Amino acid sequence: MWLEYLRIALSVLRGHKFRSLLTVMSITIGAFSIVLMTSLADGGLRTLAAGIEELGGSRLISVWKKPPEAMEARTLSYSRGITRQDPAALASLPHLRDLTMFVSLKNKGVQSDKGLRLNADVVAGDARFLEFFHYKVDKGRMLDPHDQQDRARVCVIGDVIADKLFGKGEEVLGRSVLLFGMHCRIVGRLTKLDRWGIGFGWEWDEIIVAPLETLSDHDFKEIDI
């Protein structure tokens, strides 16, 4: 009986070759699309998970300042939470491997010494910021504690924003950028990162990092911590 069914099926396929070809092609393309989308989704999730794990995974704790939802006029009458003087005390907590303090100033106007002006993600970070987020320096150096103590007008620039401000392949060490009316000398250029899907308030390769203490000298509401 099964042989008879098979013979009928083959005869139908021979009698409608074009329709049979379209059916086979539809099944093949559909199956290929499912496999491809599944592979891309799996690869994307693996990349995202690897990026999160690189930054600390579930062991990473972020503490953010939250504006009051009521009684805003009385904000000066009570404690303002964590300040720049608190990291020394936090460092003594048990099982704490590392910590950093920073303020993200997203999409701020900056200007190169060539006169080119555009928006970039500026971060006011402490001396541990770049290492904490696993940045690597392609040329130059990272920010150090002396930059913080001396309130040095220096900065480290991301790979993509460096190309946008100064031109692709141009040397940027020793050049300067204008941040909030202040000229900052570039002391380091960061290596381009292959990291996506994870955000802390800036684009990974379009970042300009300046010492937290340096930018805190300016009367910016965003850096009032």
Side-chain angles (χ1 to χ4, degrees):
M1 180 177 292
W2 288 104
L3 291 176
E4 182 64 20
Y5 289 155
L6 182 59
R7 185 187 65 79
I8 295 173
L10 289 174
S11 63
V12 172
L13 290 174
R14 291 194 187 98
H16 303 84
K17 294 181 180 179
F18 185 68
R19 182 183 299 175
S20 301
L21 178 61
L22 290 178
T23 302
V24 172
M25 287 181 62
S26 299
I27 295 173
T28 302
I29 293 174
F32 176 77
S33 299
I34 293 173
V35 172
L36 178 61
M37 293 303 296
T38 302
S39 299
L40 290 175
D42 183 63
L45 288 174
R46 288 177 182 273
T47 302
L48 179 59
I52 295 175
E53 187 61 31
E54 180 186 358
L55 294 176
S58 60
R59 300 177 297 279
L60 183 65
I61 300 176
S62 299
V63 181
W64 305 94
K65 180 179 178 181
K66 183 179 179 181
E69 297 179 357
M71 307 295 287
E72 293 188 27
R74 297 186 180 181
T75 55
L76 296 178
S77 65
Y78 53 81
S79 173
R80 299 161 65 190
I82 295 177
T83 67
R84 296 198 301 278
Q85 286 69 45
D86 292 326
L90 293 174
S92 63
L93 292 174
H95 312 298
L96 182 64
R97 180 176 178 180
D98 201 358
L99 79 159
T100 184
M101 179 172 282
F102 65 91
V103 178
S104 176
L105 307 173
K106 190 174 179 62
N107 202 33
K108 297 297 180 180
V110 300
Q111 182 175 313
S112 71
D113 54 15
K114 297 172 59 176
L116 180 61
R117 182 177 177 84
L118 49 78
N119 289 337
D121 294 336
V122 179
V123 170
D126 63 11
R128 291 293 307 158
F129 173 81
L130 292 170
E131 291 187 42
F132 183 92
F133 284 101
H134 297 265
Y135 274 104
K136 294 181 180 180
V137 174
D138 181 47
K139 293 182 179 180
R141 65 174 179 85
M142 294 188 177
L143 301 179
D144 59 36
H146 294 292
D147 296 325
Q148 301 290 337
Q149 296 167 8
D150 299 338
R151 288 174 162 77
R153 295 189 174 188
V154 296
C155 63
V156 176
I157 191 168
D159 182 75
V160 172
I161 194 64
D163 286 343
K164 288 182 178 180
L165 278 172
F166 298 97
K168 191 171 182 61
E170 290 291 325
E171 179 60 68
V172 299
L173 295 185
R175 307 284 290 272
S176 67
V177 292
L178 189 66
L179 303 177
F180 313 110
M182 174 181 63
H183 290 279
C184 289
R185 180 170 55 89
I186 299 173
V187 296
R189 177 174 182 154
L190 299 171
T191 301
K192 185 175 176 60
L193 290 177
D194 183 17
R195 187 181 293 163
W196 60 273
I198 313 167
F200 289 88
W202 65 86
E203 295 294 333
W204 293 103
D205 294 310
E206 300 196 23
I207 187 175
I208 298 177
V209 186
L212 179 60
E213 297 298 333
T214 301
L215 293 187
S216 296
D217 287 340
H218 296 262
D219 188 19
F220 298 135
K221 181 178 181 181
E222 297 96 331
I223 306 186
D224 190 15
I225 63 174

